[in-house]
Amino acid sequence: MVLLGELMAVLDASVVDTALPSIQANTGAPAAGLQWIQAAYGLALALGLITGGRLGDRYGRKRIFLLGAGVFTAASLLCSLATGPTALIAARAAQGAGAAVMVPQILATVHVTFTGSARAKAFGLYGAVMSVGSVAGPVLGGVLTQADLFGLGWRSIFLINVPLGIAAVLLGHRYLTESRNRQALRLDPLGMVLSALGLLLIAYPLSAGGAHHWPWWTFTAMAAGLAVLVGLVFQQRSKTRKDGSPLVVLSLFSGRPFSGGLTAQLVLGLLSGLFFLCWTLFMQQGLGLSPSRAAIGFLLFTLAEIGGAWLAMSAVARHQRRAPQAGALLAVLALAVFHLLATTYGTNLSMTAMALPALALGLGLGMIGAPLTDLTLGRVGDAHAGSASGLFNTATHLGISLGVVLTGVVFFSHDPAATARGTDVVNAFTATLPYVIGGLLAMWALMFFLPRPAIPRTHRS
């Protein structure tokens, strides 16, 4: 039953991708509002994951899972009832907060509930649910939005969480056993407030600045955000000395594989958030594809991503960092082909022509994501394994949210009102791709911090 919670969280990270143009048309959301409908969920999730894990350790994983699932379900209902972008953004942030409380309990519950081969099977099922959710999200969003069941349109993508969430709560209450960690770290509410404030002071001006022609307050807010994050570092050091339970274990960053890999993961999330929002608008508003047809592109990408992950994990033991680096270069090539096709065919570009670069991009990014986790966390000691995993997941969701926000700088700057169609959207999309390619090359360079292949020893006779 905890996997129902995982399925909901994964679905809602991507289910709005193909529904965003319809949401914009129905709610009148401006460019910044469109970004925050997507980013609010991921940002709230990223900022709460570590604290959510500690809440479960200290107060009981069953209790906290049920709380998070209840908040997530109620917030999903509020999303479906929203009449404007502000209400929808607030409900999406509440969804993310509920997911942040719910998600950390899932793997922890599996870990303490099962042993041996049963645990391996449970972890395998967990991975399968994540894969299915990532594939189904954009497809489900496109199909439900176009089907317009009962005249609900895009609202049905959130309403589907209500029966799932109720089932998760009822089954969890009935069958889950309570567990907790008696030696759990203390909470760090000040650290969480400082991290949230610093990131919001940076993220909001990036999303709204273009529409207001970058007035002075946008730069002042970003400078204040950087100052708050610097203050967070000092606060975390003080918290470490005081009781050894900071929000961020700063000593982890002394290891080159961890610091380099975590930064690469942050960049990967950022590029994903940036590219996929732009690709959604390109397919629907630029090429005029329906939500369900646009979902085919996401389906091709995700299936190839799963294949790339399998390929890279079978090669990473021997090739180490070369596996994800090869994936980064393949993704660069795929995006270069995207750029060529979009500039050549413009609004006449077909889904058939996009199929090959979409498959290549999915294969390349799949070759990055799966081994990057292992290469980044593999050398972290057992004492900090939980903190390192929490930071890695946080970097993923934080990067995606910041990437969505950055569309205001590199995509919506071509159309601040987000009302462009046809050629204007195609031009905005092609202008965005060099930034994504540059980010991939930067990530390729960061991977030199990861473990390198062992040099075989030669024996002299």
Side-chain angles (χ1 to χ4, degrees), residues 353-419:
M354 280 195 295
L356 184 59
L359 288 169
L361 181 63
L363 187 65
L365 293 186
M367 291 173 65
I368 298 171
L372 189 57
T373 304
D374 180 48
L375 294 173
T376 303
L377 302 178
R379 299 190 179 186
V380 174
D382 291 345
H384 293 307
S387 297
S389 298
L391 283 172
F392 192 83
N393 288 326
T394 297
T396 303
H397 294 287
L398 180 60
I400 292 172
S401 299
L402 293 178
V404 171
V405 167
L406 281 175
T407 57
V409 179
V410 300
F411 184 89
F412 287 117
S413 59
H414 293 264
D415 176 47
T419 56

Side-chain angles (χ1 to χ4, degrees), residues 164-404:
L164 290 176
I166 292 173
V169 171
L170 293 178
L171 291 173
H173 181 75
R174 175 67 176 83
Y175 293 107
L176 281 182
T177 56
E178 189 60 278
S179 65
R180 69 187 70 199
N181 182 358
R182 300 293 180 182
Q183 299 177 331
L185 295 176
R186 296 181 180 180
L187 301 179
D188 184 10
L190 178 57
M192 190 173 181
V193 168
L194 290 175
S195 61
L197 178 61
L199 289 170
L200 286 173
L201 285 171
I202 294 172
Y204 181 72
L206 287 174
S207 66
H212 295 87
H213 306 290
W214 299 103
W216 64 269
W217 64 262
T218 58
F219 299 100
T220 302
M222 287 188 282
L226 289 173
V228 171
L229 293 180
V230 170
L232 172 66
V233 173
F234 286 100
Q235 185 268 339
Q236 292 295 285
R237 289 177 177 175
S238 174
K239 180 74 171 173
T240 302
R241 290 192 298 267
K242 181 179 179 180
D243 58 19
S245 58
L247 184 69
V248 179
V249 180
L250 297 176
S251 61
L252 286 169
F253 292 91
S254 61
R256 281 167 52 93
F258 181 80
S259 57
L262 189 73
T263 307
Q265 181 67 13
L266 180 68
V267 174
L268 177 61
L270 188 149
L271 296 178
S272 297
L274 173 61
F275 175 77
F276 289 116
L277 176 56
C278 297
W279 193 30
T280 296
L281 298 174
F282 167 70
M283 287 191 288
Q284 295 189 50
Q285 295 183 346
L287 304 183
L289 300 179
S290 65
S292 59
R293 291 205 64 193
I296 295 174
F298 283 93
L299 179 61
L300 291 174
F301 167 84
T302 308
L303 291 176
E305 185 179 29
I306 295 171
W310 175 84
L311 178 66
M313 288 307 294
S314 63
V316 71
R318 178 179 178 183
H319 298 287
Q320 297 288 291
R321 69 190 183 200
R322 290 177 182 171
Q325 284 183 314
L329 295 179
L330 178 58
V332 166
L333 178 61
L335 289 173
V337 173
F338 257 122
H339 191 279
L340 177 63
L341 291 173
T343 53
T344 302
Y345 295 102
T347 57
N348 295 318
L349 181 61
S350 66
M351 179 60 70
T352 303
M354 280 195 295
L356 184 59
L359 288 169
L361 181 63
L363 187 65
L365 293 186
M367 291 173 65
I368 298 171
L372 189 57
T373 304
D374 180 48
L375 294 173
T376 303
L377 302 178
R379 299 190 179 186
V380 174
D382 291 345
H384 293 307
S387 297
S389 298
L391 283 172
F392 192 83
N393 288 326
T394 297
T396 303
H397 294 287
L398 180 60
I400 292 172
S401 299
L402 293 178
V404 171

Side-chain angles (χ1 to χ4, degrees), residues 444-457:
W444 173 83
L446 284 167
M447 291 177 193
F448 279 103
F449 288 102
L450 299 174
R452 60 184 178 181
I455 301 175
R457 295 182 179 180

Side-chain angles (χ1 to χ4, degrees), residues 17 81 96 140-141 155 160 186 196 219 261 278 297 309 315 321 362 413 461:
D17 286 345
L81 298 174
L140 187 65
R155 300 177 189 278
I160 197 172
R186 296 181 180 180
F219 299 100
C278 297
R321 69 190 183 200
S413 59
S461 55

Side-chain angles (χ1 to χ4, degrees), residues 1 4-5 8 62 65-73 102 162-176:
M1 69 290 299
L4 277 176
M8 291 190 298
K62 174 181 176 179
F65 172 82
L66 296 178
L67 173 64
V71 171
F72 184 93
T73 304
M102 173 178 64
V162 176
L164 290 176
I166 292 173
V169 171
L170 293 178
L171 291 173
H173 181 75
R174 175 67 176 83
Y175 293 107
L176 281 182

